[in-house]
Amino acid sequence: MSYNTPAQTAKAAVESGVAKANLPIGSMAVGGFLAGAYIAFGGLLAIVGSAGLDPKTWGGLTTLVTGLVFSLGLILVVIGGAELLTGNMMLLPLALLERRITVTQLLVNWGVLFVANLAGSLFVAYVLAYKTGVIGDALAKAGSPAAMDHTRLVGIVTGKGITETNLQVFLRAIGCNWLVCLGVWLALAAHDVVGKIAGIIFPITAFVALGFDHVVANMFFLPLGMFVDSPGLTWADVIRNIIFAFLGNAVGAGVFVSCAYWYTYLRPRPDPVVQAPGASEAMEAKD
């Protein structure tokens, strides 16, 4: 076959989770920094690529384009090789369910990647998006690309950081990482780079277009909103969103992908009962 079956993909996901859990801390940290930066690159491209698309004219195509170009982030993570917290929220629980790693290994991995992903996201947000002037502030000249980018960013962070309630962030984060981890799952199923990219694009486009919350993406969008003085946004809003997005992402990956696929393809099953030759005939004769 030109791709892995779901059962084969489940086994590959377990092996990937074991490998990631056993990485040296330094490798986790560097890989995590890269993953945070890659997701931020996707977020920055999503802002710039959709800034001129007025929703009053383009409707849902605005968010569809945003999601399509944002897919760059996970493509760079999976194909380029990096350590993304939200993907590991699926891979390590699978390895844990198979008793190949310990709870301590899982918690250490998630803790290191949370910090490292945050560092990579903040680096791109502050140095490459804000200090370069790619995303303008409120003083940017009206009608300039920087001003349009600023307006688009403000729209994104207002929704995520101010308008959404804690429950909405949590529930949207569940849907988000369910889709993100399905993108990772489809990439594991593919045997070539083109297949992996194709498997990533559609789930990622879907989660962005639907307005779901990704904790690492929000580590980029929301701090960048603070750097450019987005009206009404506070650091308390940023922290609140990241906490509830983290929790929802963990549930979306752990319950709806890890546990669901482990139960379907990997859980131990009792051996079928095999009758000795002639046993059925003997029972019939006895009756």
Side-chain angles (χ1 to χ4, degrees):
M1 297 178 67
S2 59
Y3 64 94
N4 293 327
T5 65
Q8 292 170 331
T9 303
K11 293 177 181 178
V14 170
E15 295 304 322
S16 179
V18 172
K20 290 177 178 296
N22 286 288
L23 283 173
I25 297 296
S27 297
M28 285 185 199
V30 173
F33 179 89
L34 293 177
Y38 294 164
I39 296 299
F41 282 139
L44 184 56
L45 181 62
I47 294 169
V48 174
S50 62
L53 302 178
D54 187 347
K56 295 179 182 178
T57 302
W58 294 90
L61 285 176
T62 302
T63 54
L64 195 64
V65 170
T66 304
L68 183 63
V69 297
F70 182 80
S71 302
L72 169 69
L74 191 60
I75 292 171
L76 291 175
V77 168
V78 172
I79 307 300
E83 296 298 314
L84 183 63
L85 172 62
T86 47
N88 285 17
M89 286 178 171
M90 170 194 70
L91 297 172
L92 271 69
L94 271 171
L96 182 64
L97 288 168
E98 284 291 279
R99 300 181 181 180
R100 299 282 301 281
I101 65 170
T102 65
V103 173
T104 299
Q105 285 179 294
L106 181 147
L107 294 177
V108 168
N109 182 273
W110 285 11
V112 171
L113 293 191
F114 181 91
V115 175
N117 286 175
L118 178 61
S121 299
L122 289 175
F123 177 81
V124 174
Y126 186 74
V127 177
L128 302 181
Y130 173 60
K131 295 300 287 184
T132 59
V134 170
I135 302 298
D137 57 24
L139 300 177
K141 183 179 179 181
S144 67
M148 289 190 293
D149 294 342
H150 177 265
T151 300
R152 178 69 176 125
L153 173 64
V154 168
I156 292 172
V157 301
T158 298
K160 294 185 178 299
I162 300 175
T163 305
E164 293 176 16
T165 66
N166 294 341
L167 179 61
Q168 286 175 327
V169 174
F170 176 74
L171 295 177
R172 291 183 185 211
I174 291 175
C176 166
N177 217 24
W178 190 348
L179 286 167
V180 169
C181 289
L182 284 176
V184 175
W185 188 271
L186 295 180
L188 284 169
H191 287 173
D192 55 45
V193 171
V194 173
K196 291 179 183 296
I197 292 174
I200 290 169
I201 286 176
F202 291 103
I204 300 305
T205 299
F207 107 69
V208 177
L210 292 169
F212 291 162
D213 281 272
H214 186 271
V215 64
V216 181
N218 289 0
M219 290 175 180
F220 165 75
F221 287 120
L222 294 174
L224 180 57
M226 289 298 302
F227 298 150
V228 302
D229 299 320
S230 181
L233 185 68
T234 67
W235 282 111
D237 295 323
V238 175
I239 294 170
R240 174 186 65 85
N241 179 280
I242 288 175
I243 289 172
F244 285 95
F246 173 91
L247 295 174
N249 284 170
V251 172
V255 175
F256 294 99
V257 185
S258 298
C259 289
Y261 279 119
W262 179 84
Y263 182 85
T264 304
Y265 296 108
L266 297 172
R267 67 186 173 95
R269 289 174 171 79
D271 295 330
V273 177
V274 180
Q275 291 185 335
S280 59
E281 290 82 354
M283 289 297 293
E284 291 175 0
K286 183 177 179 181
D287 292 341

